[in-house]
Amino acid sequence: MPVVSPETLVALQQRPEGIRNICILAHVDHGKTSLTDALIATNGIISPKLAGKIRYLDSRPDEQLRGITMESSAISLHFSMLRRSLHDAPPVQEEFLINLIDSPGHIDFSSEVSTASRLCDGAVVLVDAVEGVCSQTVTVLRQTWIEHLQPLLVINKIDRLITELKMTPAEAYNHLSKLLEQVNAVVGSFFQGERMEEDLKWRERVEERVTAAAAKEQLRAEKRAATSDAFGNDDVVTVAATSTAGEFEEKDDEDIYFAPEKNNVIFASAVDGWAFTVKQFAALYEKKLGIKRSVLEKVLWGDFYLDPKTKRVLGQKHLKGRALKPTFVQLVLDTIWAAYEATTGGAHGKGKRAEIAKAQSLANGDAGDPVAGVMNALGKASIDQDGTDGETGVKEQPQDPEHLIGFARLYSGTLNVGDELYVLPPKFSPATPHADPKPHRTTITALYLLMGRGLEPLSSVPAGVVFGVAGLEGHILKSGTLCSTLEGGVNLAGVSMGSQPIVRVALEPVNPGDLNKMIGGMRLLEQSDPCAEYEVMESGEHVILTAGELHLERCLKDLRERFARCEIQAGEPIVPYRETIVNAPEMVASKDKDLPRGEVIGLTTSKQVTIRLRVRPLPAAVTLFLVKNAAAIKELYSEKRGRDGERDGTERETLSQARGVQVPLLSLADFKIGLSKAFEDIKGDREVWMDVVDRIAAFGPKRLATAQGPLCNEPVQGIAVFLEDVSISTAAEEGSAAREALGRLTGEVIKTVRDSVRQGFLDWSPRLLLAMYSCEIQASTEVLGRVYAVLTRRRGRILSESLKEGTPFFTILSLLPVAESFGFSDEIRKRTSGAASPQLIFQGFEMLDEDPFWVPFTEEDLEDLGELADKENVAKRYMDAVRVRKGLFVKGRKLVKDAEKQKTLKR
């Protein structure tokens, strides 16, 4: 195919009506990169024979090695087609510029998907015809819904239905129909959730207006009553309050679903290089059947049947008992099955393609030993040597430094090299464009046309184009908005992330002298990766946060080879935990028997202040409400302190997107109402939580007493601290001595409150909350037992197991602790010989119902387990591991065991 020159692509950029920005989204291994290869081959960049094998946009060596995409890659393609304005009009050639972005499918790189979808107008969603709708398929469909992209469904790997599952055309049609229903059910759930939210807001608005109208009418009635009393007029006219709100408008959901007759569904096999729509087959059969193309497009999919005698299309009720095939089977699938039968043998083994290949090899004389050809090729190969005495001369190449290139889209105007633009900060508001922090200016040093593995320099870029921009180092962290003027500027920054970074790892250079290199590399990595985060702990450790184990491997490889270019060693992954308390049936007696459980009286060191407080476990419903609205609590604190000033609704929405929150933040009034409802649903101890919402002083866990719990210095969750009484005994001191005592007293009160909260916490039965992954695995029946064995060994819990209808594959949903997940994917692949691959999504925290301090104390336990408790305390193992990592004292830990087996080495 002819190679499209960069000059042609640059010329097409000047026609905005012919520009299409498209991203390809799908689950892992559903064929995104293979489909992209087939599209790239049409521009002559790669050979059509290598499409699906070369994986052109997987430019990283580790992407080629693993066979999965890890970074979003963009390429500009030229597309030309003939289009008729009318049915009888001559065809006119139209040219388009397709800015195509290939995105990863693995859950660890879902942030790359979010970035790609933000820059595009349309999305090609791929679904494997065999595996069907998977977890990441739902995620990318939700992403297209949130970003308001125009989706196009591609059902890929149709060839697997023929060669692997050995389906007949009729069975394949039923399978594809159910697959299409599953995809539409997912899209329908998004629409239903949005409509329910709009309905709730509409009802709230109606209630507010009715209440306001009733209050206004009551005020008028009071005024009339006062006037009538004054003038002796007893005739009072009342007007009924009417709602100013109109009726709730129902929206039609017909346009959101995928249907082949709407021309938004493509059936394809990317590896074999073919794809079609119903519209194309309608054009093929139009003259042969004598049926209009518009009619054929509507009846080629669905319960429609073609009568071969009359060549008329019948509905299901007109069959009259005849066994006719659906039109899609008869006119489309039968043709494809016949083509595969003729070439590959379809479901019956080898076909004519193998016979043709064998005949060609015989004609070329290659029927002998296949090793001979390889030996001949090796014999002709030679290594050129530069220099004498067999010494090979190697010229040392200077290392090219890393350059930060922004992945951008221009929405208005024309951008030239050398232009100066304002970089809008994340909290920029159009209402106050000159407020602190003031936006700073940066100069565009270079512009690039993205061509997959290469870059083509540009001098200017028009609106509507996806391009690369240089000159943003140190100005933008992850995403930002560039504007030529501040007045009227709109803040478009903030991408809603599908997964938040959960895996923390401490890094240090092998050579201590390379510390500055490593720090600079980590800052560059944080800028270039949309999900990775870098922070310095209080202990001085340099920690990187990543989305998962595979994401961590990629970040470490980039640090060593690209950004820091020094040897870096990583520590053990730092897994987050939470600490909480429960009211267990069997608990150790309280330390102070005169006080109720959880109540503590604290006295400062100087004995000037006495604090009486009580610690209680929060009800589960209240804890769940607070966890769900953690972002709203942070926002309310920020508004209360006045750090960010007044914000309008646009910035509140931007802030929620930047934090990865997809639900709107609650206002203070709504938050109080929701919290009150959560407390009202409590079944027991209602008198304890009566009117507690109005008495709340602060929320954790960013407090001195709750930031580090007594178990292993992890944040505390799910407790309530009641401050009962504070008594102060003043000392008769004057002058500087009194001021000095007051300064000491502040620190004493903080320490006393913290210690009292910890003591009240330990009065109850403590528990650890484990970070959990939701794990989805697709496996065949042959390896199902091995998958269960690995899950059980790693303390996983099976939630559901379902067989995908029409396939031999089971979908297993389970929960797996993050602490047990490292190496889990590799072990699953090894045990199943690559037949199963898990997808891990962070689900939240779940309580491990085991007391880490439990020891047998009842007669039955002592008799069964003995004083040392033969069974392992898993909660204590997790707690001790965290305490060892943090350098805390571990009770009962033996540094020396079996001393008689140790020996002293001679010098």
Side-chain angles (χ1 to χ4, degrees):
M1 298 206 176
V3 179
V4 179
S5 63
E7 291 77 14
T8 305
L9 299 175
V10 173
L12 288 172
Q13 288 182 350
Q14 307 303 322
R15 297 177 54 251
E17 67 276 3
I19 298 174
R20 302 290 184 269
N21 298 315
I22 306 294
C23 58
I24 299 183
L25 312 175
H27 188 76
V28 65
D29 288 334
H30 277 201
K32 297 180 298 300
T33 308
S34 299
L35 178 65
T36 309
D37 274 2
L39 298 176
I40 293 172
T42 62
N43 276 225
I45 299 173
I46 62 174
S47 169
K49 294 180 180 179
L50 296 176
K53 300 174 185 176
I54 195 171
R55 302 175 65 88
Y56 183 77
L57 289 188
D58 286 351
S59 55
R60 296 170 56 98
D62 49 352
E63 288 180 326
Q64 292 285 348
L65 184 65
R66 289 181 176 270
I68 63 171
T69 305
M70 296 185 184
E71 286 184 348
S72 293
S73 302
I75 191 167
S76 296
L77 300 176
H78 169 258
F79 175 63
S80 177
M81 66 179 297
L82 294 173
R83 178 174 287 177
R84 300 174 189 266
S85 56
L86 297 173
H87 183 67
D88 298 330
V92 179
Q93 186 174 7
E94 293 187 4
E95 293 185 333
F96 296 91
L97 175 66
I98 309 295
N99 295 316
L100 193 68
I101 302 178
D102 180 28
S103 61
H106 197 281
I107 184 64
D108 283 7
F109 309 111
S110 57
S111 56
E112 298 274 351
V113 178
S114 305
T115 306
S117 59
R118 173 56 66 91
L119 299 176
C120 294
D121 305 312
V124 176
V125 180
L126 268 73
V127 178
D128 192 323
V130 175
E131 294 184 7
V133 177
C134 299
S135 59
Q136 198 66 3
T137 310
V138 179
T139 304
V140 298
L141 284 170
R142 184 183 292 112
Q143 194 72 34
T144 60
W145 183 268
I146 293 171
E147 299 289 350
H148 302 287
L149 302 181
Q150 187 67 34
L152 184 69
L153 180 66
V154 176
I155 301 178
N156 194 23
K157 303 188 182 182
I158 302 287
D159 58 293
R160 292 183 66 189
L161 302 179
I162 308 171
T163 56
E164 289 185 24
L165 300 186
K166 318 292 186 187
M167 287 186 175
T168 63
E171 291 172 345
Y173 171 69
N174 292 330
H175 180 77
L176 293 173
S177 300
K178 291 174 182 175
L179 176 59
L180 197 58
E181 288 175 5
Q182 290 175 4
V183 177
N184 284 331
V186 173
V187 178
S189 66
F190 301 151
F191 177 80
Q192 184 181 6
E194 189 177 271
R195 296 303 291 157
M196 289 175 65
E197 187 177 346
E198 290 178 0
D199 180 50
L200 181 62
K201 290 180 180 178
W202 177 79
R203 291 179 187 278
E204 289 175 353
R205 287 197 300 268
V206 169
E207 289 177 1
E208 288 175 1
R209 291 175 181 177
V210 168
T211 305
K216 192 182 292 185
E217 186 59 37
Q218 185 178 0
L219 185 62
R220 288 176 182 172
E222 290 175 356
K223 287 182 179 179
R224 290 195 194 97
T227 307
S228 63
D229 291 342
F231 293 98
N233 185 8
D234 295 334
D235 297 331
V236 180
V237 181
T238 60
V239 180
T242 58
S243 171
T244 58
E247 295 183 358
F248 182 66
E249 296 180 4
E250 290 290 345
K251 288 185 180 179
D252 187 15
D253 61 344
E254 185 181 354
D255 295 334
I256 68 171
Y257 296 115
F258 297 105
E261 60 269 18
K262 294 180 183 176
N263 211 33
N264 61 1
V265 178
I266 297 175
F267 303 91
S269 172
V271 72
D272 287 338
W274 58 263
F276 67 88
T277 62
V278 167
K279 187 176 182 179
Q280 289 173 300
F281 270 88
L284 290 174
Y285 285 108
E286 181 182 13
K287 292 182 179 179
K288 186 175 180 179
L289 298 177
I291 303 174
K292 289 184 179 180
R293 184 188 301 184
S294 58
V295 177
L296 268 179
E297 288 176 10
K298 295 178 182 178
V299 300
L300 264 180
W301 179 268
D303 294 330
F304 298 99
Y305 304 86
L306 180 65
D307 190 342
K309 294 181 180 179
T310 61
K311 290 189 178 181
R312 292 181 58 188
V313 178
L314 307 175
Q316 194 170 13
K317 59 182 179 180
H318 299 295
L319 285 178
K320 299 178 181 178
R322 287 186 292 176
L324 296 179
K325 295 179 182 179
T327 52
F328 190 76
V329 175
Q330 189 175 356
L331 301 179
V332 179
L333 294 185
D334 280 349
T335 309
I336 296 171
W337 258 245
Y340 271 86
E341 288 283 346
T343 53
T344 64
H348 304 294
K350 296 182 179 180
K352 292 182 180 179
R353 182 189 293 180
E355 296 176 7
I356 295 169
K358 187 176 180 181
Q360 286 180 342
S361 64
L362 287 171
N364 295 332
D366 297 335
D369 186 7
V371 183
V374 180
M375 294 302 293
N376 290 334
L378 290 174
K380 295 176 183 177
S382 63
I383 300 174
D384 293 332
Q385 293 182 344
D386 185 14
T388 59
D389 300 331
E391 294 179 0
T392 305
V394 179
K395 295 181 180 179
E396 190 172 337
Q397 295 287 338
Q399 287 186 340
D400 187 24
E402 287 289 329
H403 300 280
L404 188 69
I405 297 175
F407 201 15
R409 175 178 175 177
L410 190 63
Y411 284 94
S412 65
T414 302
L415 184 62
N416 300 299
V417 176
D419 286 354
E420 286 194 357
L421 300 176
Y422 286 102
V423 180
L424 304 186
K427 295 178 181 178
F428 174 83
S429 172
T432 54
H434 298 283
D436 290 330
K438 293 183 179 178
H440 48 271
R441 296 174 71 90
T442 182
T443 304
I444 304 301
T445 58
L447 298 171
Y448 298 101
L449 176 68
L450 302 172
M451 291 300 293
R453 300 184 180 186
L455 298 171
E456 295 290 337
L458 299 172
S459 58
S460 65
V461 172
V465 176
V466 174
F467 61 97
V469 57
L472 305 178
E473 294 91 341
H475 298 288
I476 291 180
L477 180 59
K478 293 186 182 297
S479 65
T481 307
L482 304 179
C483 270
S484 57
T485 58
L486 291 179
E487 288 75 12
V490 180
N491 193 358
L492 302 174
V495 180
S496 56
M497 297 296 176
S499 62
Q500 298 300 316
I502 185 68
V503 179
R504 297 168 176 245
V505 174
L507 306 180
E508 63 178 3
V510 175
N511 181 8
D514 293 334
L515 181 62
N516 290 332
K517 276 187 183 181
M518 188 191 77
I519 294 174
M522 291 177 79
R523 285 176 178 159
L524 196 58
L525 173 69
E526 188 181 23
Q527 281 184 296
S528 63
D529 194 301
C531 190
E533 295 181 10
Y534 162 60
E535 62 181 25
V536 181
M537 306 286 282
E538 293 179 359
S539 58
E541 292 177 299
H542 298 276
V543 174
I544 185 171
L545 283 80
T546 59
E549 195 175 4
L550 185 59
H551 187 211
L552 173 63
E553 287 182 26
R554 193 197 76 179
C555 290
L556 290 177
K557 184 178 177 64
D558 285 348
L559 273 176
R560 292 177 180 132
E561 298 179 3
R562 295 175 56 195
F563 300 131
R565 289 185 176 174
C566 64
E567 286 298 319
I568 295 173
Q569 59 184 11
E572 290 294 322
I574 303 171
V575 180
Y577 293 88
R578 296 288 184 268
E579 301 179 18
T580 189
I581 51 177
V582 295
N583 188 1
E586 295 180 358
M587 290 188 289
V588 181
S590 301
K591 291 184 179 180
D592 193 340
K593 297 181 179 179
D594 298 331
L595 296 175
R597 185 175 293 278
E599 192 163 325
V600 180
I601 298 177
L603 186 64
T604 58
T605 310
S606 60
K607 298 183 179 179
Q608 288 182 313
V609 179
T610 304
I611 300 168
R612 186 188 186 101
L613 54 83
R614 182 159 45 98
V615 178
R616 291 187 67 90
L618 268 178
V622 179
T623 306
L624 184 63
F625 175 82
L626 294 176
V627 169
K628 282 184 177 179
N629 295 280
I633 295 173
K634 290 180 183 177
E635 177 68 12
L636 293 174
Y637 266 117
S638 180
E639 289 181 354
K640 181 180 178 182
R641 293 171 183 170
R643 287 178 177 174
D644 303 327
E646 295 182 358
R647 292 192 182 96
D648 58 355
T650 305
E651 191 180 354
R652 283 176 63 88
E653 185 179 352
T654 305
L655 185 61
S656 68
Q657 289 179 352
R659 288 171 175 164
V661 182
Q662 296 177 359
V663 294
L665 299 181
L666 296 178
S667 63
L668 180 60
D670 293 338
F671 180 77
K672 280 189 173 182
I673 292 171
L675 190 58
S676 301
K677 288 181 180 177
F679 276 112
E680 288 172 3
D681 295 338
I682 300 171
K683 294 182 180 179
D685 296 335
R686 282 178 173 264
E687 64 281 354
V688 176
W689 309 105
M690 191 75 69
D691 300 330
V692 75
V693 176
D694 298 325
R695 292 184 285 144
I696 295 175
F699 291 96
K702 300 297 183 184
R703 302 282 158 185
L704 287 175
T706 55
Q708 295 182 339
L711 299 183
C712 49
N713 281 9
E714 290 291 316
V716 175
Q717 176 178 307
I719 72 166
V721 180
F722 294 84
L723 188 61
E724 303 282 350
D725 182 48
V726 178
S727 58
I728 303 173
S729 57
T730 56
E733 295 181 0
E734 295 181 358
S736 62
R739 286 195 297 272
E740 185 180 349
L742 184 62
R744 288 198 309 268
L745 187 62
T746 307
E748 289 178 5
V749 170
I750 292 173
K751 181 178 180 298
T752 304
V753 171
R754 185 185 63 196
D755 293 344
S756 300
V757 171
R758 288 191 169 200
Q759 186 179 339
F761 182 98
L762 294 175
D763 244 8
W764 301 87
S765 184
R767 294 288 187 272
L768 275 179
L769 295 172
L770 306 183
M772 301 296 287
Y773 276 137
S774 171
C775 175
E776 180 180 316
I777 305 174
Q778 278 200 348
S780 59
T781 51
E782 291 83 6
V783 297
L784 207 57
R786 300 173 194 171
V787 171
Y788 281 158
V790 176
L791 279 170
T792 306
R793 187 163 56 252
R794 290 179 175 265
R795 301 188 56 79
R797 191 173 81 252
I798 308 296
L799 297 179
S800 67
E801 171 195 306
S802 57
L803 176 66
K804 280 193 175 290
E805 194 172 349
T807 68
F809 295 103
F810 281 87
T811 301
I812 304 163
L813 289 175
S814 61
L815 285 178
L816 183 74
V818 175
E820 305 285 352
S821 67
F822 302 104
F824 173 71
S825 300
D826 290 338
E827 186 178 0
I828 282 280
R829 281 193 287 269
K830 286 178 184 176
R831 295 286 181 182
T832 61
S833 302
S837 182
Q839 287 277 303
L840 300 174
I841 306 171
F842 180 64
Q843 192 73 10
F845 290 89
E846 186 179 87
M847 183 187 298
L848 176 62
D849 197 12
E850 195 170 348
D851 191 340
F853 299 121
W854 180 86
V855 290
F857 61 92
T858 63
E859 291 185 5
E860 294 180 0
D861 291 340
L862 287 170
E863 185 177 347
D864 293 341
L865 304 172
E867 293 182 359
L868 297 177
D870 291 338
K871 73 172 184 179
E872 182 190 20
N873 190 331
V874 180
K876 188 177 189 308
R877 172 160 62 84
Y878 288 143
M879 181 184 74
D880 290 347
V882 178
R883 293 185 72 89
V884 168
R885 177 174 58 80
K886 293 185 176 182
L888 303 174
F889 173 71
V890 179
K891 187 178 180 181
R893 183 187 177 202
K894 293 183 178 180
L895 298 177
V896 178
K897 190 176 182 181
D898 299 331
E900 68 275 4
K901 293 185 180 180
Q902 298 186 7
K903 62 180 180 179
T904 305
L905 297 176
K906 295 181 180 179
R907 293 183 179 177

